[in-house]
Amino acid sequence: MEYIKKFKNVIIIISILFILLGITLTAKPEFSALAVCRLLGAILLIPGIVRIVGFFRRDAYGNLLNLDLVHGLFYFLVSGFMLIAPKAVITAIPVILGIVIIIASILLLQLAVNLKRLQHKRWNIHLCLALITAVLGMLLLFNPFAGSIILTRLIGISLTFTGAVNLWGIIYIKRVFKGTYHGIGGRI
């Protein structure tokens, strides 16, 4: 039973953190995105340093086919880039997503054309979805800063919603178990 209490407390703490982070990302997306990028950059330094140190601590025969130095330097470079130029990283993410979304919209367009050729009744729905998807992809591609702000806000809204749903779920489960478990003489 102690395990369930600890689990419940951990879920409550994580949910509250999700809500607070979500509200922060929604309210101040520019600042939040920079802070998250720098935090991830600092975190990536750790495995980079561990891999590089591990490489030099082993003998030459142990490192013959080992890629720890390459991995360590890669982590180190990515981390450095995220710490030195976080705005470039934040700008690159929407551009990459925009390209991926445009490619997906082209595939949807092909599906719509194929459905039209097969005389499918609702081919136009796929065409509309392909066009909407293409517009969203182009928005991210040609206006990445606005795209990154919108993306950060959507992540913030999602985190806030997830935290609230988790809290509601814990409260609901506690109420359900309170009614059934109290009859046996226990408490949650």
Side-chain angles (χ1 to χ4, degrees):
M1 199 45 52
E2 194 64 32
Y3 171 76
I4 292 174
K5 270 187 169 179
K6 285 181 184 177
F7 181 74
K8 178 188 76 166
N9 291 337
V10 167
I11 294 294
I12 289 172
I13 290 169
I14 290 172
S15 298
I16 291 170
L17 289 174
F18 271 23
I19 291 170
L20 293 174
L21 181 60
I23 290 170
T24 304
L25 288 172
T26 305
K28 296 191 179 269
E30 303 90 356
F31 168 77
S32 301
L34 287 172
V36 168
C37 187
R38 286 191 176 121
L39 178 66
L40 289 175
I43 290 170
L44 282 178
L45 268 177
I46 296 167
I49 292 170
V50 168
R51 295 267 179 139
I52 292 170
V53 169
F55 175 82
F56 286 111
R57 291 191 72 190
R58 281 197 243 23
D59 64 358
Y61 290 107
N63 282 332
L64 191 59
L65 298 174
N66 192 320
L67 296 175
D68 276 353
L69 182 62
V70 173
H71 289 144
L73 289 173
F74 177 74
Y75 281 128
F76 200 75
L77 289 173
V78 169
S79 172
F81 191 65
M82 291 175 82
L83 290 170
I84 294 169
K87 286 186 179 182
V89 173
I90 292 168
T91 303
I93 291 170
V95 169
I96 293 167
L97 282 174
I99 292 169
V100 169
I101 290 171
I102 289 170
I103 291 169
S105 72
I106 293 169
L107 294 172
L108 276 173
L109 179 65
Q110 179 180 340
L111 176 64
V113 170
N114 286 340
L115 289 172
K116 169 74 170 152
R117 290 171 63 197
L118 292 171
Q119 299 175 346
H120 191 272
K121 291 180 182 177
R122 300 215 169 128
W123 68 272
N124 54 352
I125 294 173
H126 294 278
L127 178 65
C128 289
L129 292 173
L131 295 175
I132 291 169
T133 307
V135 168
L136 292 173
M138 284 188 239
L139 173 68
L140 286 173
L141 187 62
F142 295 115
N143 195 354
F145 186 69
S148 67
I149 291 173
I150 292 168
L151 194 60
T152 304
R153 282 198 172 125
L154 285 174
I155 292 168
I157 290 167
S158 298
L159 285 171
T160 304
F161 181 75
T162 301
V165 168
N166 287 344
L167 278 177
W168 177 82
I170 286 293
I171 292 168
Y172 180 78
I173 290 171
K174 184 178 178 183
R175 285 184 184 164
V176 168
F177 275 107
K178 194 174 196 178
T180 56
Y181 194 69
H182 258 289
I184 308 172
R187 290 182 72 187
I188 295 182

